Amino acid sequence: METSAQVPVASAIWAVEQVAAELRETYLGVAAAMVLLDRVGAGCPHPALRLARRCGEDALDLAGEVDQQVTDGVRRLRVAAGHIEPGTIGGLVEVLDSVGSRWSAAADRIRQLPARVTAAGQQLRDALPDGTPPTGPAQPGEPTAEQRRHDTRPTAQQARHDTETTARQWQHAAEQLDLMVESRTSAVAALASYTGGLSGTQPKTR
């Protein structure tokens, strides 16, 4: 049963935990917005865009610091109130194992994606017509060179170029996904090695 002195503390903990939860949701939104900004502003040297990216990165760093401070404070109060035991090596290993499991699951999911992107790129290539459109004098019934200059619709040659460019970009995206899998796998192995050393056991095979 909580004493009258513990009630305000519990209320304060609850209030700050709600703030932390909202902060994490907002963090995800800011991170997603940063991805979009990087996508549309890639290669643009305009100072305003550089400032926006830098401010966004600062906001994410500050959000991470705030979350850490809030979490540390909540844990300290709970330990002082006897609600949880101080952290142990076993508890740390359990948390790190959980993180490793989530990363491993993410790697398994991402591992299926490159083949799908590559297949879509191949589908684009297969749809390309054989050969290139003729570039000689216009035949009867065909548009003249002057008419083609004023025609803003994409030519078959331009369509081929756009399709091939897109297919190459998608192949690059598939390669980047493969790198993501390697990164996640390496991270999982590093965590397993660390937790194995903490607990005195061999790293788990994932």
Side-chain angles (χ1 to χ4, degrees), residues 23-163:
L23 177 64
R24 292 179 192 119
E25 290 183 7
T26 304
Y27 181 98
L28 294 177
V30 172
M34 287 292 295
V35 171
L36 290 176
L37 179 61
D38 288 340
R39 187 177 300 166
V40 300
C44 180
H46 197 283
L49 279 181
R50 290 204 304 270
L51 177 60
R53 282 194 292 267
R54 187 162 59 249
C55 290
E57 292 168 355
D58 289 344
L60 292 178
D61 290 341
L62 290 171
E65 292 181 14
V66 170
D67 183 68
Q68 183 65 51
Q69 292 170 358
V70 168
T71 301
D72 287 348
V74 169
R75 181 174 180 82
R76 189 177 301 110
L77 290 174
R78 289 191 182 281
V79 170
H83 293 165
I84 59 175
E85 295 295 328
T88 62
I89 290 180
L92 175 60
V93 169
E94 183 178 349
V95 171
L96 293 179
D97 278 346
S98 175
V99 172
S101 295
R102 294 182 184 184
W103 283 356
S104 182
D108 288 341
R109 186 172 184 180
I110 296 172
R111 192 174 286 112
Q112 312 301 320
L113 303 181
R116 292 163 59 182
V117 176
T118 299
Q122 188 59 49
Q123 185 176 357
L124 281 182
R125 290 189 174 95
D126 292 343
L128 286 173
D130 294 332
T132 56
T135 57
Q139 301 298 319
E142 292 183 357
T144 63
E146 181 66 21
Q147 290 173 326
R148 285 196 294 268
R149 277 197 296 271
H150 292 286
D151 190 351
T152 58
R153 292 174 300 178
T155 64
Q157 194 168 7
Q158 180 62 44
R160 169 182 285 274
H161 176 270
D162 292 344
T163 299

